Amino acid sequence: MGCVGEFAAVSDSRVFSDVYKNGAKWHCECAVVYFLASEQRKFSAVASKKIGNSVTRNRAKRRLRTAFYNQQNSIDSGIFILIAKKQMIDMSFSELERNLKWAFKKIGAAK
């Protein structure tokens, strides 16, 4: 994986479980956004096989990472997990960014 800006990658399954159980969750048109407030700055983009073949899944994750990276200065520290939805394949990039921005506000992650 790598990192996005100053955010490190989430690689431990225990961190995923902790965020899923205790974090704030919001469904938007393009993704399901999980956020757990923390001093750590971690991020992960996930795309399941429901999205499509490997090329489609990787493209979805790249788009989520880029949209997240573009907004990283306007969000709080914490652990973010973005799970791609099938609808995001047909969305324009500006729609994707707008949806994520709205989701960050709704879960209390926006500064």
Side-chain angles (χ1 to χ4, degrees):
M1 250 315 165
C3 60
V4 176
E6 57 188 61
F7 281 82
V10 178
S11 57
D12 188 7
S13 64
R14 287 174 287 191
V15 175
F16 275 95
S17 296
D18 191 35
V19 174
Y20 290 147
K21 288 179 189 170
N22 304 319
K25 174 181 171 182
W26 184 259
H27 289 265
C28 60
E29 292 175 27
C30 61
V32 180
V33 179
Y34 286 90
F35 169 68
L36 183 62
S38 172
E39 291 299 316
Q40 301 174 18
R41 293 177 68 85
K42 292 189 173 191
F43 166 79
S44 185
V46 180
S48 72
K49 287 191 175 182
K50 293 177 188 175
I51 300 295
N53 63 16
S54 62
V55 174
T56 307
R57 291 194 306 270
N58 287 326
R59 182 171 186 262
K61 290 188 287 187
R62 278 196 314 270
R63 291 179 77 201
L64 282 175
R65 276 189 221 112
T66 305
F68 183 84
Y69 176 75
N70 290 346
Q71 296 178 33
Q72 74 175 349
N73 294 327
S74 62
I75 55 177
D76 293 331
S77 290
I79 303 170
F80 291 86
I81 298 175
L82 277 57
I83 303 173
K85 286 186 176 179
K86 193 162 182 75
Q87 296 92 324
M88 81 167 285
I89 296 166
D90 300 325
M91 288 182 131
S92 70
F93 189 74
S94 61
E95 279 182 293
L96 175 66
E97 283 188 310
R98 194 169 42 251
N99 271 289
L100 286 181
K101 191 176 215 176
W102 175 250
F104 294 147
K105 284 182 186 174
K106 295 302 278 186
I107 60 175
K111 287 184 180 176

